[in-house]
Structures are given as structure tokens and as C-alpha cells.
Amino acid sequence: MKSLRLRSFAKVNLGLEVLGVREDGYHELRTLFQTIDLADEIVLVPSGRGVRVVCDHPLVPRDESNLAARAAQLLRSYGRIGQGVEIRIHKRIPVGGGLGGGSSNAAAVLLGLDRLWKLGLGPDGLHRLAVKLGADVPYFLLGGTALGLARGDEVYPLRRQIRGYTVLVDPGIHVSTARVFARLDGRLTTRENSNSIYYFVSRELEGPGGYRFLQNDLEEAALEEAPELRVQTGRIRDVLLREGACLASLSGSGSSYFGLFEDARPAKRARAALDAEGFRAHGARTLTLEQYRGAWGRSRNRLRQ
Ligand code: ATP
């Protein structure tokens, strides 16, 4: 029986603007997504008639609340597939770090099972299933540098794809995404005219730079929600900027903090400097849309009998 091995990549938010609360209760966002090559490994093994998750990470559920399992169930009913699947997840992406691990796993399972079950839906056909699973899932059908609008689920690839290096620290402090948004709601003013991300996008089309226009609106609320994180991120940010990061920011609602570098050498130095200060820093390269698609092409070759 054929099984499929794939990589499920993490993302960072290079910028994130919260514009207001919509009538349906969700937040109206404008965000810049970027895939990085930090990845979980997923193996899909056709088996039995149900969906089973195998994962030894203590913070990842193995029941039907696992986002990867929900993705498989949804596609199975949509495609009226009788066959079951075992989803083996080897976690490398920090869990609950704002790096989109669960959403990425869900998208990888949709793309992988679409291929394994020969449904032929592709990223476009899978989009409406992805939206049902979570606001970040549609982005992972695409990857690369992309603009996310609405709940973050309306995704537009940028013409200019960023090639750079990230240095990440996961302080391992849990910050509840719902609580961060709730805290922000209290002081939200309508900002439809806010334009930092559009500013960046237009600058990007003109040439390098523009990162100074980017900000993460969730950062302050996340740091208020977890005051112990404020001290740590202050130190991490200082090191990243000192070593030449063109952007230093919390990803999503945290708690991962990252720096973006245009060159490999300063990124390496920043990583060493953070390690010397007692942080465990990871280096990861950004992936363009094309590189993301290429990684999918390679996973096809790993189809085994
Ligand atoms: P979000 O901002 O959507 O909460 P995140 O990127 O901060 O996401 P994730 O690693 O996706 O964090 O994990 C969020 C929660 O989702 C965790 O509490 C975890 O228990 C749950 N979860 C469900 N399925 C998965 C999965 N396949 N991988 C990781 N976490 C999962």
C-alpha cells in the first residue's frame, strides 16, 4: 500500500494589523505571511476505515481535535472516501508559538490526501475546506510571501518573494490567542485607513527595504497577557537588532519571537549571541512560493509501494 511522506512548514507574520471586529465576531486582519523552512514531518499511511493520529509530542492532541485529523475527516466525507488513514506527525515546530504548526499540518494533510486519494482538487479546490478548518489554513495551501486579508484566509501571493534568513526563539511561554484578541478588543479603534502593510507591499515592488513600516498589533496585548514574556522579548529584540536584523517581531500572538536578516552571516552571529545569552535560538531560511511548491514536488517522489 502506498504511503506519502511530506514536510509541513512553519510561517511567521512579518506584519499583522487588526482593523476591527466584523459582524460575524471574527477580526478583520491584514497580515504578511512568510513560510520558513522549519518543518514538521508527516507520513500518511492508508489504513483501515478511520482516521488515526500518531504523535509523541505531549502538547499535541491525538483525538479528533487534532487539526490534521479534522482535515482528513473533512476531505474524506467531501470526497466520499471509504478508506482510512494513519497520520504520523513528527513535531519540530514549537506548539502554540504563533508559527502556525497546527494549521500547516492541516493544509499538508489536505494536499497529501488529495494526491493519495487521487481527488484532483489541488490548492484551489481545497480552499473552501481549508477555510472551515481555520483562518491560517488557506495560506498553507499556497506558501511563500503572501498578503492575508479578511480573517487572514483571503490570501494573495506577492510578486516579490522574500529571500532571507530568520532567527527564532521560542520562550516556551503559553499565550492564549483568544485572550490576546480579547485584550486588544477593549482598545480597538476602527483603522480601515491604516496602511503600514500596503506601504510595505508597494515599497517591496520598488526595491529592498520597507521593513520598518511593519508592525504586529498583537504584540503589546500579548506582552500584557504574559508579563514574563516582556522581559525576555526585550532582551531577544535587543540582540537581534544589534546584530543587524531588518525586522524583529513577535509572530502571530506569540510566544515565538524572530528576527529577519537579508544575509546569512549576521543571522548566524545573532543566533550565537542569543545562545550565549542563554536562549535557544533556531535558524531557518525563508521559502518563496516557488520553493514551497518545489518541496511539494519532491514529496510526490517519496511515494512508496
Ligand atoms: P494558533 O495561533 O492558531 O493558536 P499556533 O501557531 O500558536 O496556533 P499551534 O502549534 O498550531 O500554535 O497549536 C495551537 C493549539 O492547537 C495547541 O494547543 C495544540 O494543542 C492544538 N493542536 C491541534 N492540532 C495540532 C497539530 N496538528 N499540531 C500542533 N498543535 C495542534
Side-chain angles (χ1 to χ4, degrees), residues 6-10 36-41 90-93 104:
L6 3 123
R7 294 180 78 199
S8 167
F9 295 99
I36 55 174
D37 70 357
L38 169 66
D40 293 338
E41 200 166 287
H90 178 61
K91 272 276 153 197
R92 288 201 197 89
I93 305 173
S104 171

Side-chain angles (χ1 to χ4, degrees), residues 11-16 31-34 98-99 136 215-216 247 249-253 258:
K11 58 86 181 158
V12 289
N13 298 88
L14 299 178
L16 197 160
T31 187
L32 255 192
F33 288 116
Q34 177 62 57
L99 301 173
D136 285 352
Q215 64 188 53
N216 180 346
L247 175 73
S249 173
L250 197 71
S251 184
S253 60
F258 72 95

